Amino acid sequence: MQARGQFLTALATSAWVGCLANGAGAAEQVVTSPGGQAEIRISDESGQANFSLKFKGQTLVAPSPLGLILDKGGLLSRSLKIASASTRQVDETYDLAVGKTKTVRDRYAETTVEFLETSGLQRRLKIVARAYDDGVAFRYVLPDQPNLAGVAVRGEETKFALSGDERCWALNLGRFGTSHEGEYDPIPAKSFRAQALYELPVVCQTKTAAFALAEADLKNWAGLYLTGREDGGTGLQAKLSPRLDDPTKAVTTRIGTDTVSSWRVVMIGDTPGDLISSNLMTSLNPPTPLTDTSWIKPGKAAWDWWNGSKVAGAEGMNDATMKGFIDFAAANKLEYMLIDDGWYAGSGQAPQVLPGTDVTRAIPDIHIQDLIAYGRERGVGIMLWVHWKALDAQMDEALAAYEKWGVKGIKVDFMDRDDQQIVDYYHRLLEKAGQHHLMVDLHGAYRPTGLTRTYPHYVTQEGVLGAEYNKWSRRVTATHNVTLPFTRMLLGPMDYTPGGFRNVRPQDFKDQFLLPTVQTTRGQALAMYVVFDSPLTMVSDSPITYAASPAGLDFISTVPTSWDETRVLSGEIGQSIVIARRKGDDWWVGAMTNETERTVKVPLGFLGNGSFKAEIREDGAEPTALKTRTQAVTGKQSLTLTLAPSGGGVVRLTPAK
């Protein structure tokens, strides 16, 4: 959908920047957000390209180096002077086909600063910087220039100088080439180490603000990581994912075109909850080229893999089992059934791709087109799993076949990389999937970079330590679950795969691969469908489990997965969270806590005027039990929810008739 209500003013074009910085002869460009909350300064102090950042007058990032490391001329960061700058202001709105909000106001001030190297090859480098009221972003533009034809980028000089007093949360992946899954652990900013390799986002809190370091609009570039500063300073520095064909390079360029990096993003708010409501990630991506998005349908899916492919009277990868899941989806008003690994010739050995694999030919026990027809008769769309390498070998043929069969979407798995080559694969796949009207769920995927605006059919993705880990570990704790909304979820949708109804207390939990249990309550299981952002959401347990213990399944059947509005009412990283989301006239509230029992207040001011019926579900005496009640409320009141240890609760608020 294209932006609407556009207002754009060019304030200056290629104007010399004459304002002085601290040093004699130094120049700087200051960009202040439209509401005056955020400020980013770009300077050539002492011949070093650098930036600094303030929020409401408080310095969040002290002067920090900018620049690239190239294979022609080496470091492009020092011996630089600002040669020119142009500025503009933008105020427009755009709609999202699916997501945590429907309409987004995109309002920012922007400057483009050109640096010129004063010695050597006299290379040129541009920095584009934007200031929003809820964050700032900057990116590099390496102009096409004769003395850099065919240049490669080896790395970045980008650093973030912090005070060291911040409390931060970070996921140390430790190496490149992973599935981007793990825990975001608390870490003091002064303890960041250069030997670590931190996944994005890195989230930090000061006494008066919260901020998250991220990356947006990743295209023709390499994935960004952060490490502790190698110069011994406090804070973080950028590190790029190396190419597989030449690990000494991160980005190869195209002769005759400018080279543009992804955005380096600092999301900012008064509290960590403010970051959850931000739409900065999508706003930093270009609008979708799709002129028709009506075929993109959010929803929930029955799913065969997590629970061990078990239904009443059948199990395993065959038509009878798949029909059992389709029947379950139809009975519970789920829009989709996802058929996972094992349906096509050569599959079932993930993550391996066997010789002779054919993603367009089903195994003898599966008749895909018959299952699609069976689902269509019952109002259930079919989605298919596929290994990325096998799909890449047959992409055009396979996507055309899936569209012809009537497949609604694909789950593509095991990329486990974010180098420039796999980034290019994402864009190639998403562009072609859109042409064939296929929604996409990427697993074994790097964390989101806001691409859901450009590719609205990219409805969800993994890159999160989700419920699958219950099958083989104790890592999915309530603390982990209430950390995710303030960390990984800031970047975009996450296919956590909720819906586990074999709820037990943590001390009674034992990991098991088939029909796994979860060490959180039924109330938290329901709350995940409100708190966790995913326009395509799995209903992961077996129909057998839901039949034996159905409490709350009716809530899952009715809760939306895409929203008109999102508000964070309260919460603290790793402790608890309360979120309200609106769809049409109804509001849905989800509350989750860590291993500590707590009572949370839910102020209802977001309801505005009028009376509402509140349908409330809280934790019961046992992990699988729920207490339900209904009461009339107005926006002037508050609700109180009692959450058990590792628990949660939900509320549906509908206008009184």
Side-chain angles (χ1 to χ4, degrees), residues 168-446:
C168 301
W169 285 260
L171 164 56
N172 180 13
L173 290 173
R175 62 182 178 87
F176 302 108
T178 75
S179 57
H180 298 262
E181 299 165 4
E183 294 88 349
Y184 288 82
D185 295 321
I187 178 173
K190 62 184 178 182
S191 298
F192 289 127
R193 295 291 179 260
Q195 64 268 30
L197 191 65
Y198 299 112
E199 169 70 302
L200 301 177
V202 173
V203 180
C204 297
Q205 267 189 280
T206 70
K207 293 180 180 179
T208 58
F211 62 94
L213 305 179
E215 173 183 31
D217 192 21
L218 176 57
K219 184 177 184 180
N220 297 326
W221 200 256
L224 174 67
Y225 295 80
L226 296 172
T227 72
R229 290 173 57 176
E230 294 177 351
D231 60 8
T234 302
L236 295 156
Q237 70 180 52
K239 182 167 286 189
L240 298 180
S241 186
R243 290 181 61 91
L244 294 191
D245 55 357
D246 184 350
T248 68
K249 300 175 181 177
V251 179
T252 59
T253 63
R254 295 180 173 91
I255 295 176
T257 62
D258 292 352
T259 301
V260 182
S261 78
S262 49
W263 291 101
R264 281 76 193 95
V265 184
V266 187
M267 306 169 69
I268 314 172
D270 293 322
T271 68
D274 292 336
L275 307 181
I276 298 173
S277 303
S278 174
N279 293 293
L280 195 54
M281 293 297 294
T282 53
S283 293
L284 288 166
N285 278 263
T288 179
L290 296 177
T291 57
D292 175 24
T293 59
S294 62
W295 55 274
I296 303 169
K297 303 291 187 182
K300 298 176 288 290
W303 178 38
D304 63 293
W305 181 82
W306 188 81
N307 52 73
S309 299
K310 291 180 178 291
V311 298
E315 63 179 274
M317 192 58 62
N318 54 65
D319 285 348
T321 303
M322 299 305 111
K323 287 181 178 180
F325 279 100
I326 294 170
D327 290 340
F328 167 77
N332 291 280
K333 301 179 181 178
L334 309 183
E335 292 83 356
Y336 302 105
M337 191 267 152
L338 170 62
I339 302 177
D340 212 274
D341 180 29
W343 71 268
Y344 60 79
S347 61
Q349 301 295 319
Q352 299 181 68
V353 177
L354 302 178
T357 293
D358 186 347
V359 301
T360 67
R361 181 166 56 89
I363 62 174
D365 289 340
I366 289 284
H367 298 83
I368 286 292
Q369 295 183 60
D370 291 345
L371 292 174
I372 292 170
Y374 186 84
R376 186 184 301 117
E377 293 171 357
R378 289 155 180 78
V380 178
I382 301 299
M383 306 187 77
L384 299 176
W385 181 96
V386 63
H387 194 291
W388 82 270
K389 285 185 179 179
L391 178 62
D392 195 27
Q394 297 178 269
M395 187 177 294
D396 291 332
E397 175 191 2
L399 297 183
Y402 298 164
E403 180 182 26
K404 183 178 180 181
W405 296 349
V407 174
K408 299 300 182 182
I410 53 176
K411 174 181 174 180
V412 185
D413 209 345
F414 289 111
M415 285 77 69
D416 295 345
R417 292 161 40 200
D418 60 353
D419 52 79
Q420 187 183 19
Q421 294 109 311
I422 208 71
V423 169
D424 290 345
Y425 174 84
Y426 273 44
H427 286 271
R428 180 161 50 89
L429 169 63
L430 292 169
E431 182 178 349
K432 291 186 177 183
Q435 294 169 359
H436 289 286
H437 302 94
L438 294 167
M439 293 184 293
V440 178
D441 174 5
L442 295 182
H443 269 232
Y446 59 79

Side-chain angles (χ1 to χ4, degrees), residues 32 88 102 116 288 526 648:
T32 303
R88 65 175 186 151
K102 183 177 181 180
L116 177 64
T288 179
L526 302 189

Side-chain angles (χ1 to χ4, degrees), residues 41-113:
R41 292 173 177 254
I42 308 294
S43 170
D44 62 5
E45 176 73 22
S46 301
Q48 169 69 64
N50 67 75
F51 81 102
S52 60
L53 167 62
K54 290 183 178 181
F55 179 67
K56 294 184 176 181
Q58 174 193 352
T59 297
L60 295 184
V61 179
S64 303
L66 295 168
L68 299 176
I69 305 168
L70 308 178
D71 68 345
K72 293 186 177 182
L75 181 65
L76 179 55
S77 177
R78 300 165 193 156
S79 299
L80 296 180
K81 68 176 182 179
I82 294 179
S84 65
S86 61
T87 61
R88 65 175 186 151
Q89 291 188 351
V90 171
D91 189 354
E92 63 186 24
T93 59
Y94 62 88
D95 287 342
L96 293 171
V98 296
K100 64 185 177 184
T101 191
K102 183 177 181 180
T103 301
V104 178
R105 186 179 185 185
D106 189 17
R107 183 172 177 241
Y108 60 88
E110 180 184 274
T111 187
T112 300
V113 180

Side-chain angles (χ1 to χ4, degrees), residues 561-613:
T561 62
S562 186
W563 307 93
D564 297 331
E565 186 178 353
T566 292
R567 299 195 188 188
V568 179
L569 305 182
S570 65
E572 185 178 348
I573 302 174
Q575 298 296 315
S576 66
I577 187 166
V578 183
I579 286 184
R581 301 189 192 265
R582 180 178 62 83
K583 185 69 172 181
D585 294 330
D586 291 2
W587 283 90
W588 305 72
V589 176
M592 297 166 57
T593 183
N594 61 7
E595 289 77 10
T596 300
E597 178 183 9
R598 72 184 73 224
T599 299
V600 296
K601 290 283 188 180
V602 183
L604 300 177
F606 57 85
L607 293 176
N609 298 323
S611 298
F612 287 75
K613 181 179 74 171

